[in-house]
């Protein structure tokens, strides 16, 4: 049996406290996600800039429905996960 790739993608960096908070929240809720470290990843940085009006804002979290949350609070993440 193969495991599906996580459908949520969290773009962040190790030095970013908001990224750690978002990751900790998703982990605490047992939500599978792919963490993409933008440091040194030009493709990831370009994508984040593309969805944020040419600004590198993290965390940027992309959901399977195509929606994006940027620097969300835990409450915003909770609301989105209930959708």
């Amino acid at each position: 049996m193969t495991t599906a790739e996580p459908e949520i993608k969290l773009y962040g960096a190790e030095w970013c406290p908001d990224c750690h908070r978002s990751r900790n929240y998703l982990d605490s809720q047992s939500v599978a996600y792919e963490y993409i470290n933008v440091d040194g990843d030009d493709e990831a940085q370009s994508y984040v800039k593309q969805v944020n009006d040419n600004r590198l804002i993290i965390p940027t979290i992309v959901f399977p429905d195509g929606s994006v949350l940027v620097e969300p609070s835990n409450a915003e993440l909770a609301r989105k996960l209930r959708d």
Side-chain angles (χ1 to χ4, degrees), residues 2-3 5 8 12 17-18 26-27 34-35 39-41 44 48-49 57-58 63 66-67 73 75 81:
T2 59
T3 305
E5 294 270 329
I8 296 172
D18 285 335
L26 292 173
D27 289 341
E34 178 183 359
Y35 172 68
D39 280 342
D41 187 333
V48 170
K49 286 179 180 179
I57 305 171
I58 53 175
F63 294 86
S67 64
S73 66
L81 292 171

Side-chain angles (χ1 to χ4, degrees), residues 3 7 14 17 22 27-28 30 33-34 37-39 43-44 49 52 55 60 64 66 68-69 73 80:
T3 305
E7 295 181 352
E14 294 302 315
S22 292
D27 289 341
S28 76
S30 300
Y33 63 94
E34 178 183 359
N37 188 340
V38 301
D39 280 342
E43 188 176 320
K49 286 179 180 179
N52 290 303
R55 295 176 296 168
T60 292
V68 177
L69 289 179
S73 66
K80 178 62 185 168

Side-chain angles (χ1 to χ4, degrees), residues 45-62:
Q45 288 180 23
S46 292
Y47 178 77
V48 170
K49 286 179 180 179
Q50 176 188 335
V51 299
N52 290 303
D53 297 321
N54 207 33
R55 295 176 296 168
L56 185 60
I57 305 171
I58 53 175
T60 292
I61 305 173
V62 183

Side-chain angles (χ1 to χ4, degrees), residues 67-80:
S67 64
V68 177
L69 289 179
V70 179
E71 296 181 317
S73 66
N74 287 352
E76 289 171 310
L77 274 172
R79 279 192 298 276
K80 178 62 185 168

